[in-house]
C-alpha cells in the first residue's frame, strides 16, 4: 500500500511538472497556422515578458512582422548574436538571414551588408550583399556582383 502511495505521488508530481512545462506559445499557435498574423502578433504581445522577449518570442515576432510587410520592425525583432542563444543553430542562421533581408527591404543596406557577410559563403547571402552594395552606391558593388556570378552562377 505504501509503495502504491509513493508511486501515485511521483506520478502526480511528474504530471504537474509536465503541465507546468506546457508550451507558452499555445495561445498564439492556432492564429499563426491560420495566418491571422495581426491577431497572432497581438496575442504574442500578451504573453509574459520573458516569453515574448526571449529568443523564441523574438523570432516569432520577427516572422509575423515579416509576413505583415513591416520590414524595419521585423529587422529589430529577429534575435541575432547572443540574443539568439538557446535557439538551434539552423534557426539562429535563419534569424540572421531574415534580419539582413528585412534591413535591406527597410532601406538599411549598409547594416544588411554586415549581417549578410556573417553568413559566410552562402551564395544567396553573397548575392544579396552585392545587391545592397549596389543600392548603397558603394564602389565595390560591381566587382562584388561579378564575383558572385563567377563563383555561384548556377545557384544564383
Amino acid at each position: 500500500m505504501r509503495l502504491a502511495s509513493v508511486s501515485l505521488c511521483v506520478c502526480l508530481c511528474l504530471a504537474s511538472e509536465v503541465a507546468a512545462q506546457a508550451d507558452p506559445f499555445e495561445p498564439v499557435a492556432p492564429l499563426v497556422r491560420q495566418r491571422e498574423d495581426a491577431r497572432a502578433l497581438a496575442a504574442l504581445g500578451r504573453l509574459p515578458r520573458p516569453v515574448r522577449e526571449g529568443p523564441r518570442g523574438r523570432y516569432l515576432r520577427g516572422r509575423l512582422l515579416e509576413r505583415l510587410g513591416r520590414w524595419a520592425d521585423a529587422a529589430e525583432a529577429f534575435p541575432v548574436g547572443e540574443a539568439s542563444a538557446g535557439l538551434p543553430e539552423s534557426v539562429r542562421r535563419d534569424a540572421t538571414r531574415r534580419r539582413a533581408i528585412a534591413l535591406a527591404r527597410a532601406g538599411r543596406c549598409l547594416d544588411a551588408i554586415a549581417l549578410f557577410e556573417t553568413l559566410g559563403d552562402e551564395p544567396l547571402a553573397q548575392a544579396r550583399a552585392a545587391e545592397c552594395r549596389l543600392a548603397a552606391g558603394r564602389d565595390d558593388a560591381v566587382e562584388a556582383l561579378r564575383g558572385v556570378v563567377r563563383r555561384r552562377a548556377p545557384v544564383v
Side-chain angles (χ1 to χ4, degrees):
M1 182 68 172
R2 186 167 185 209
L3 182 60
S5 297
V6 170
S7 296
L8 180 60
C9 184
V10 168
C11 287
L12 288 174
C13 287
L14 289 174
S16 66
E17 186 175 323
V18 168
Q21 293 176 357
D23 186 2
F25 295 96
E26 185 60 37
V28 182
L31 298 170
V32 172
R33 283 191 291 274
Q34 295 165 7
R35 298 192 69 86
E36 295 281 345
D37 300 330
R39 289 181 57 212
L41 195 57
L44 180 62
R46 289 189 295 272
L47 295 178
R49 173 176 254 146
V51 173
R52 72 174 183 262
E53 291 183 6
R56 286 180 62 204
R58 288 188 59 193
Y59 181 80
L60 177 57
R61 179 175 167 72
R63 292 295 304 265
L64 291 168
L65 290 165
E66 187 180 59
R67 286 186 354 187
L68 291 168
R70 293 174 49 190
W71 304 114
D73 294 332
E76 295 308 314
F78 282 117
V80 296
E82 289 300 314
S84 65
L87 293 174
E89 183 58 30
S90 61
V91 176
R92 292 179 79 162
R93 288 185 66 79
D94 186 60
T96 300
R97 186 179 306 103
R98 288 178 182 281
R99 184 175 190 162
I101 292 168
L103 284 167
R105 289 183 175 166
R108 294 176 51 195
C109 277
L110 294 177
D111 295 327
I113 291 168
L115 278 179
F116 282 130
E117 289 175 349
T118 67
L119 296 170
D121 62 346
E122 286 185 17
L124 293 177
Q126 288 180 346
R128 287 183 174 126
E131 288 173 349
C132 278
R133 283 182 173 83
L134 187 62
R138 292 207 9 198
D139 293 337
D140 60 347
V142 173
E143 187 53 40
L145 286 167
R146 283 186 185 138
V148 168
V149 172
R150 264 193 315 271
R151 289 187 305 275
R152 311 287 189 209
V155 179
V156 180

